[in-house]
């Protein structure tokens, strides 16, 4: 003796977009084997057995209206056989029920995870729309120009809103030399003469000794440090 598997369903309707004029149908069977599914314009026939061959499942559903089998899809995963059935007639109104015969069957229930009310369906994106939205933005986060840099950074020039950070060199605040002038712009060479000018040396660099660290220049270096301390 065969038993009816659990069936859940939901729908969308559209008279202008065929891909949104569909019925979601899910058949739930525990570990099915020998699955056979036949889909026509007016009905669905399904049969399967449980893994231990002890239970035979069967369905024979005649739809409320015609579907387009060629534009419908079937996917089997685990204990669920999922179908997306394309309604043949493009119309804004929902089907009043899944089956042609007006009868209530205990094994057919509404799929509340997918169901939306007829007058709210334009406000709720379907599963395909949700995935498209997630994937469509992978070229770069909003405002980042495809990961070229954070907003307002101008090629890593600074974080947004940091123009008023006092004491940070080159950030527009007081308390340090202006690195934007010393570097001569992006990629420029460091200008030691401008550093000396900003430190009060009138364009001449102090002599800090040669690379060998000669002791003879220690007096000049001390003068420079003293003068810097005085001006600060």
């Amino acid at each position: 003796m065969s038993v009816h598997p659990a069936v859940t369903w939901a729908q969308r309707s559209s008279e202008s977009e065929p891909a949104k004029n569909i019925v979601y149908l899910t058949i739930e069977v525990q570990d099915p084997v020998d699955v056979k599914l036949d889909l026509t314009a007016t009905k669905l026939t399904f049969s399967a057995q449980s893994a231990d061959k002890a239970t035979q499942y069967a369905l024979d559903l005649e739809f409320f209206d015609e579907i387009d089998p060629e534009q419908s899809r079937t996917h089997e995963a685990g204990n669920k056989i999922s179908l997306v059935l394309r309604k043949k007639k493009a119309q804004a109104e929902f089907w009043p029920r899944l089956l042609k015969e007006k009868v209530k069957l205990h094994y057919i229930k509404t799929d509340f995870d997918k169901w939306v009310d007829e007058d709210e369906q334009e406000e709720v994106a379907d599963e395909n729309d949700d995935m498209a939205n997630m994937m469509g933005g992978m070229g770069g986060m909003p405002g980042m120009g495809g990961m070229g840099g954070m907003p307002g950074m101008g090629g890593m020039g600074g974080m947004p809103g940091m123009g008023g950070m006092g004491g940070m060199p080159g950030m527009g605040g007081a308390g340090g030399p202006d690195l934007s002038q010393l570097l001569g712009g992006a990629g420029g060479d460091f200008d030691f003469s401008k550093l000396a000018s900003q430190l009060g040396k009138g364009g001449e660099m102090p002599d800090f000794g040669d690379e060998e660290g000669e002791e003879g220049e220690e007096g000049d270096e001390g003068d420079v440090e003293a003068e810097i301390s005085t001006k600060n």
Side-chain angles (χ1 to χ4, degrees):
M1 180 177 179
S2 62
V3 298
H4 299 298
V7 176
T8 58
W9 80 291
Q11 64 177 316
R12 300 288 188 274
S13 62
S14 174
E15 59 183 348
S16 59
E17 298 181 70
K20 294 184 178 181
N21 194 46
I22 55 178
V23 171
Y24 295 108
L25 191 70
T26 303
I27 304 170
E28 300 183 18
V29 179
Q30 185 70 32
D31 301 322
V33 296
D34 300 330
V35 175
K36 297 178 182 178
L37 191 149
D38 183 38
L39 186 64
T40 70
T42 59
K43 66 186 302 182
L44 178 148
T45 303
F46 168 84
S47 65
Q49 288 185 321
S50 59
D52 59 5
K53 303 293 182 74
T55 305
Q56 178 75 30
Y57 298 99
L59 273 177
D60 192 356
L61 306 178
E62 187 174 4
F63 302 126
F64 172 80
D65 206 344
E66 290 189 22
I67 66 163
D68 184 348
E70 297 297 323
Q71 297 297 322
S72 299
R73 305 190 306 275
T74 303
H75 177 69
E76 183 177 345
N79 299 329
K80 293 183 178 181
I81 296 97
S82 302
L83 300 94
V84 180
L85 310 176
R86 180 77 62 85
K87 297 176 183 177
K88 188 171 184 179
K89 184 187 298 183
Q91 60 182 26
E93 295 79 16
F94 272 5
W95 285 2
R97 57 187 178 274
L98 175 63
L99 303 180
K100 190 174 187 66
E101 185 179 359
K102 192 175 182 179
V103 59
K104 185 174 179 63
L105 301 175
H106 71 276
Y107 55 89
I108 299 179
K109 300 182 183 300
T110 300
D111 189 339
F112 289 105
D113 290 335
K114 295 184 176 70
W115 188 274
V116 295
D117 291 335
E118 186 174 348
D119 58 353
E120 296 178 351
Q121 61 180 335
E122 293 300 325
E123 302 173 11
V124 181
D126 62 22
E127 294 175 338
N128 293 332
D129 289 340
D130 289 340
M131 184 62 67
N133 289 336
M134 291 176 65
M135 300 301 292
M138 294 302 289
M141 295 294 287
M144 295 182 68
M147 300 303 290
M150 293 291 289
M153 293 182 70
M156 300 302 291
M159 292 292 289
M162 292 184 67
M165 293 289 288
M168 291 294 289
M171 303 300 283
D178 190 344
L179 293 183
S180 64
Q181 295 184 16
L182 301 178
L183 292 174
D189 296 329
F190 194 87
D191 192 332
F192 287 98
S193 64
K194 288 185 179 180
L195 173 60
S197 176
Q198 292 191 28
L199 293 176
K201 291 297 295 179
E204 296 181 4
M205 280 299 297
D207 190 349
F208 292 102
D210 60 18
E211 296 179 358
E212 299 295 326
E214 296 179 0
E215 296 289 333
E217 300 297 331
E218 184 177 352
D220 291 340
E221 182 176 350
D223 292 340
V224 173
E225 292 178 350
E227 188 165 344
I228 292 172
S229 176
T230 300
K231 290 187 175 298
N232 289 338

